[in-house]
């Protein structure tokens, strides 16, 4: 036994030319690969000597490129010292590995056009795996096939949501949609940014998505698969509106989180909880945008666009009558039973939701009545979008539809454009973490719960700047953050399950924990480093912001998955395929 072990180590270490064959985790880079004509950077961590590095062709082991590692840099938010290996000149299609003397050989990677096409498919297909009330068939889900989850055909009106027409205990149907995350609840606010991002992906890159088929039950029909998948959650969202007043329930939820079991096993009651202003406004924005997008598919889906637009207007009107109703779960729990302890998505600042909803309603209906809100709010602080900060979503839409909206002369489109470009330029000028050459890592605040989605939403800002200017620097900056989530980060993980060489195996995702299959459901972007460590799990390697990641299913604060994290991943990967895929 021992003897064989040493022979094995020898074989692993020695391949005849003196190069070690051990795959070293000290070379951090995009583990999928690179388009031929784009910047290509790997990060060597530890305290490497200033030395040459080599790009080797897989198979032959031939050296195709020799470069010099950069000077040492200290990472701002991790403990690492790094040197960069820039091998941008290598453009020939193929499979390669990096070799750094004294450090070792990297995982293999590819250089090819369309190198991220499959990742774009995997990212979108994640939403199929998140479908709630539908069985996943082996034909589409492979080994992750499973029975249908929560039917949600008999959801109870929670006392917090009671009205004369729908008193507490009234039974309503709210089937379908996607699970929010590692948990099994459905939240309108988080569906807001998720759906807005996916609908924007379609609006910005329609020609690309019109050809993209991802292997879902609807793939044979006459709609693009992105829209097929969007429809799943759109139809659920429509059930969240109270037809009597236009208000929108904040969430459809258990009282307490389910255990770590498969969908469909639990039979705990489900509730519609209190309506909220942000839920109404996010809903209005999504429905207005969906109405605009599905208007082009009137033949396939007669009447859907009108239904969406009516729903959007009714929700907006409810919000006007109820402009100051947050979802305050603690306050609700002091008043009502059963107490609700699932995700709160509580938000106390609605100015950005007003602005986003007004922008979508204006772009879709052409009506003047929403313009006041746009004019009074557009100069509000802008930030990288997240579930409770959607101001820029309005910018994206106003600029996308600028020419159709020219008659709205009270909107200063030139100024909106300038402000968006200044914000994008700021992301580039700040430079993010220079030691990793990413836009990600601008500040320690980038490493929050769901930090991977911060990186992806930064990239969406940059891609919008590209859409406005067609300047390659914006696409390359956006790409640097895709490199980040695919491995050029302080953890050395690709944060997408099943994509790359070193990927999370134990995400906080109930089906992946409970299904008995070693590999987690693929295509899921995990939350990523988060020094908050709110899950209090043991085993985090570090408290440094960029390293505070734990591949354990205990770690919902760094290793959960969520629809609002995958949506910007879908946007970014497929946008970069559309922009750079043929370069
Ligand atoms: O699974 C839940 C996850 O979706 C949430 O993000 C997280 C924080 O609200 O909570 C998880 O559920 C845990 C609960 O909070 C405490 N008991 C253990 C649950 C599963 O780890
Ligand atoms: O993404 C949310 C994050 O911004 C919050 O800090 C965190 C705690 O409130 O909740 C996250 O959202 C979770 C939601 O509450 C329940 N489903 C899982 C979500 C992702 O962890």
């Amino acid at each position: 036994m021992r003897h064989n072990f040493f022979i094995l180590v020898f074989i692993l270490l020695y391949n005849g030319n003196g190069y070690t064959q051990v795959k070293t985790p000290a070379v951090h880079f995009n583990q999928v690969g690179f388009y031929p004509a784009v910047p290509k950077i790997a990060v060597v961590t530890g305290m490497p000597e200033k030395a040459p590095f080599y790009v080797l062709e897989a198979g032959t082991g031939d050296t195709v490129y020799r470069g010099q590692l950069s000077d040492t840099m200290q990472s701002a938010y991790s403990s690492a010292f790094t040197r960069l290996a820039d091998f941008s000149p290598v453009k020939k299609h193929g499979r390669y590995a990096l070799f750094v003397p004294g450090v070792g050989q990297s995982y293999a990677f590819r250089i090819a056009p369309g190198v991220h096409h499959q990742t774009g498919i995997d990212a979108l297909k994640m939403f199929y795996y998140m479908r709630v009330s539908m069985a996943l068939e082996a034909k589409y889900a492979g080994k992750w096939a499973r029975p249908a989850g929560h039917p949600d055909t008999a959801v109870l009106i929670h006392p917090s949501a009671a009205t004369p027409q729908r008193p507490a205990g009234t039974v309503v149907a709210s089937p379908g949609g996607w699970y929010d995350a590692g948990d099994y609840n459905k939240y309108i606010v988080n569906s807001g940014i998720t759906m807005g991002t996916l609908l924007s992906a379609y609006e910005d890159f329609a020609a690309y998505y019109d050809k993209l088929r991802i292997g879902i039950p609807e793939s044979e029909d006459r709609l693009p698969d992105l829209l097929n998948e969007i429809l799943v959650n759109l139809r659920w969202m429509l059930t969240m509106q109270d037809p009597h007043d236009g208000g929108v329930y904040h969430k459809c939820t258990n009282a307490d989180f389910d255990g770590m079991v498969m969908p469909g096993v639990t039979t705990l009651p489900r509730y519609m909880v209190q309506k909220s202003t942000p839920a109404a406004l996010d809903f209005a924005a999504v429905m207005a945008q969906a109405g605009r997008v599905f208007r082009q598919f009137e033949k396939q889906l007669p009447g859907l666009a009108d239904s969406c637009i009516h729903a959007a207007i009714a929700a907006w009107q409810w919000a006007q009558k109820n402009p100051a109703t947050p979802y305050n779960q603690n306050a609700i729990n002091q008043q009502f039973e059963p107490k609700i302890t699932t995700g709160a998505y509580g938000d106390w600042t609605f100015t950005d939701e007003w602005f986003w909803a007004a922008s979508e309603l204006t772009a879709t209906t052409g009506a003047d009545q929403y313009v006041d809100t746009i004019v009074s709010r557009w100069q509000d602080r802008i930030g990288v979008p997240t579930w409770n900060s959607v101001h820029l979503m309005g910018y994206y839409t106003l600029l996308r539809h600028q020419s159709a909206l020219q008659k709205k002369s009270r909107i200063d489109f030139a100024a909106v454009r300038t402000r968006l470009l200044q914000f994008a330029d700021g992301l580039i000028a700040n430079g993010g973490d220079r030691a990793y050459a990413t836009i990600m890592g601008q500040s320690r605040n980038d490493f929050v719960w769901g930090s991977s989605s911060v990186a992806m939403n930064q990239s969406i800002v940059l891609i919008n700047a590209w859409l406005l200017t067609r300047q390659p620097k914006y696409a390359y900056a956006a790409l640097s953050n895709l490199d980040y989530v695919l491995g050029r980060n302080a953890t050395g993980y690709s944060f997408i399950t099943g994509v790359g060489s070193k990927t999370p195996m134990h995400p906080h995702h109930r089906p992946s924990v409970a299904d008995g299959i070693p590999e987690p459901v693929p295509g899921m972007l995990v939350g990523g480093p988060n020094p908050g460590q709110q899950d209090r799990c043991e085993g985090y390697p570090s408290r440094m912001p960029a390293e505070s990641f734990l591949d354990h299913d205990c770690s919902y604060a760094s290793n959960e998955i969520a629809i609002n994290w995958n949506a910007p991943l879908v946007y970014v990967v497929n946008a970069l395929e559309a922009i750079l895929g043929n370069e």
Side-chain angles (χ1 to χ4, degrees):
M1 281 301 278
R2 217 178 158 74
H3 185 70
N4 289 345
F5 175 75
F6 282 117
I7 291 177
L8 181 68
V9 170
F10 181 78
I11 292 169
L12 283 172
L13 287 173
Y14 190 74
N15 76 344
N17 58 10
Y19 290 170
T20 165
Q21 289 291 288
V22 174
K23 304 281 178 286
T24 173
V27 183
H28 298 189
F29 65 103
N30 183 326
Q31 294 168 19
V32 173
F34 304 85
Y35 301 123
V38 306
K40 303 175 194 71
I41 290 171
V43 171
V44 184
T45 62
M47 291 288 261
E49 293 296 309
K50 174 123 190 177
F53 69 90
Y54 302 88
V55 179
L56 312 181
E57 202 163 41
T60 64
D62 289 350
T63 299
V64 298
Y65 183 76
R66 177 181 188 278
Q68 282 289 326
L69 295 180
S70 74
D71 291 338
T72 301
M73 282 174 275
Q74 183 169 7
S75 167
Y77 303 109
S78 82
S79 56
F81 290 86
T82 72
R83 291 182 192 274
L84 304 186
D86 185 340
F87 53 103
S88 305
V90 185
K91 299 200 162 84
K92 197 178 142 211
H93 309 179
R95 246 179 102 74
Y96 305 93
L98 292 176
F99 175 69
V100 185
V103 175
Q105 186 164 318
S106 75
Y107 307 120
F109 63 89
R110 290 202 303 140
I111 294 179
V115 75
H116 296 303
H117 184 73
Q118 187 58 42
T119 304
I121 291 174
D122 294 344
L124 179 54
K125 191 146 175 185
M126 175 267 198
F127 289 88
Y128 167 71
Y129 290 110
M130 298 297 272
R131 292 188 189 186
V132 175
S133 315
M134 182 191 280
L136 306 187
E137 295 169 51
K139 187 173 171 203
Y140 311 106
K143 61 181 167 188
W144 295 283
R146 59 160 173 83
H150 304 64
D152 287 341
T153 44
V155 177
L156 304 172
I157 299 291
H158 186 259
S160 64
T163 55
Q165 293 95 339
R166 286 183 165 187
T170 303
V171 175
V172 297
S174 188
W178 303 310
Y179 291 121
D180 181 61
D183 66 315
Y184 288 153
N185 304 294
K186 306 190 285 195
Y187 308 83
I188 284 292
V189 164
N190 206 39
S191 274
I193 186 168
T194 303
M195 294 284 279
T197 302
L198 293 175
L199 286 161
S200 295
Y202 186 73
E203 288 199 279
D204 289 338
F205 298 96
Y208 181 85
Y209 285 107
D210 284 344
K211 285 189 265 163
L212 191 71
R213 298 284 162 190
I214 64 167
I216 54 178
E218 302 80 5
S219 288
E220 304 301 318
D221 75 4
R222 289 159 66 212
L223 279 188
D225 275 355
L226 172 59
L227 296 184
N228 279 321
E229 202 48 63
I230 284 174
L231 265 180
V232 168
N233 207 55
L234 188 73
R235 293 199 192 283
W236 164 68
M237 286 182 79
L238 285 166
T239 71
M240 294 298 286
Q241 185 169 46
D242 182 347
H244 303 286
D245 63 6
V248 180
Y249 302 106
H250 195 75
K251 56 179 169 173
C252 171
T253 183
N254 286 10
D256 294 311
F257 286 114
D258 283 319
M260 301 305 278
V261 296
M262 289 302 282
V265 171
T266 72
T267 50
L268 293 174
R270 306 274 272 182
Y271 297 94
M272 298 288 209
V273 299
Q274 189 210 279
K275 296 163 191 164
S276 72
T277 311
L281 291 171
D282 282 335
F283 176 99
V286 168
M287 289 301 158
Q289 190 176 14
R292 187 166 75 234
V293 168
F294 284 107
R295 181 66 79 206
Q296 305 160 54
F297 299 90
E298 200 58 45
K299 245 202 213 135
Q300 294 91 323
L301 298 160
L304 178 67
D306 284 337
S307 302
C308 291
I309 294 166
H310 287 147
I313 293 170
W316 172 271
Q317 288 169 345
W318 185 92
Q320 284 185 310
K321 286 185 212 132
N322 302 271
T325 308
Y327 180 75
N328 184 341
Q329 195 153 277
N330 291 335
I332 288 170
N333 285 341
Q334 276 159 31
Q335 235 186 310
F336 303 108
E337 293 288 338
K339 297 194 192 320
I340 306 289
T341 60
T342 54
Y345 288 116
D347 183 6
W348 276 260
T349 309
F350 316 148
T351 44
D352 51 318
E353 284 81 11
W354 281 110
F355 177 74
W356 181 32
S359 301
E360 297 298 349
L361 279 158
T362 303
T364 297
T365 67
D368 283 326
Q369 67 190 100
Y370 311 103
V371 173
D372 277 345
T373 305
I374 295 174
V375 171
S376 65
R377 297 258 66 103
W378 76 271
Q379 297 192 70
D380 288 354
R381 203 189 72 82
I382 54 180
V384 175
T386 173
W387 61 264
N388 61 2
S389 175
V390 292
H391 191 80
L392 270 185
M393 307 288 283
Y395 272 45
Y396 299 159
T397 285
L398 291 177
L399 294 172
R400 181 186 304 128
H401 297 284
Q402 184 175 348
S403 46
L405 293 172
Q406 273 316 336
K407 285 206 193 99
K408 307 280 175 229
S409 53
R410 291 171 59 219
I411 305 174
D412 188 346
F413 289 100
V416 172
R417 176 191 153 102
T418 301
R419 204 154 177 249
L420 179 93
L421 291 178
Q422 277 170 354
F423 188 64
D425 290 340
L427 290 176
I428 294 176
N430 290 340
D433 193 339
R434 289 194 169 73
Y436 286 87
T438 55
I439 295 297
M440 180 63 179
Q442 305 263 314
S443 83
R444 80 170 19 242
N445 295 335
D446 281 4
F447 300 98
V448 289
W449 193 319
S451 57
S452 299
S453 73
V454 174
M456 291 297 89
N457 279 305
Q458 289 174 339
S459 289
I460 295 182
V461 174
L462 294 159
I463 291 165
N464 274 273
W466 181 87
L467 287 165
L468 292 168
T469 63
R470 306 281 150 152
Q471 287 181 31
K473 69 172 180 186
Y474 294 118
Y476 293 161
L479 183 62
S480 79
N481 278 358
L482 182 62
D483 290 344
Y484 168 91
V485 296
L486 286 171
R488 199 167 85 221
N489 61 61
T491 72
Y493 276 92
S494 159
F495 293 128
I496 306 176
T497 56
V499 179
S501 304
K502 183 185 182 189
T503 64
M505 293 301 286
H506 308 286
H508 185 89
H509 175 239
R510 282 167 171 71
S512 295
V513 172
D515 64 9
I517 299 165
E519 295 80 20
V521 167
M524 305 189 297
L525 180 64
V526 300
N530 167 19
Q533 300 185 4
Q534 292 88 340
D535 48 52
R536 302 192 185 166
C537 299
E538 280 181 31
Y540 274 95
S542 163
R543 277 209 170 267
M544 293 293 284
E547 290 170 0
S548 184
F549 170 72
L550 180 61
D551 180 20
H552 191 296
D553 57 54
C554 163
S555 183
Y556 54 76
S558 81
N559 204 30
E560 193 169 347
I561 57 92
I563 56 173
N564 65 312
W565 304 340
N566 253 74
L569 175 71
V570 167
Y571 185 107
V572 170
V573 184
N574 291 296
L576 291 174
E577 268 295 314
I579 298 168
L580 300 170
N582 295 320
E583 301 229 334

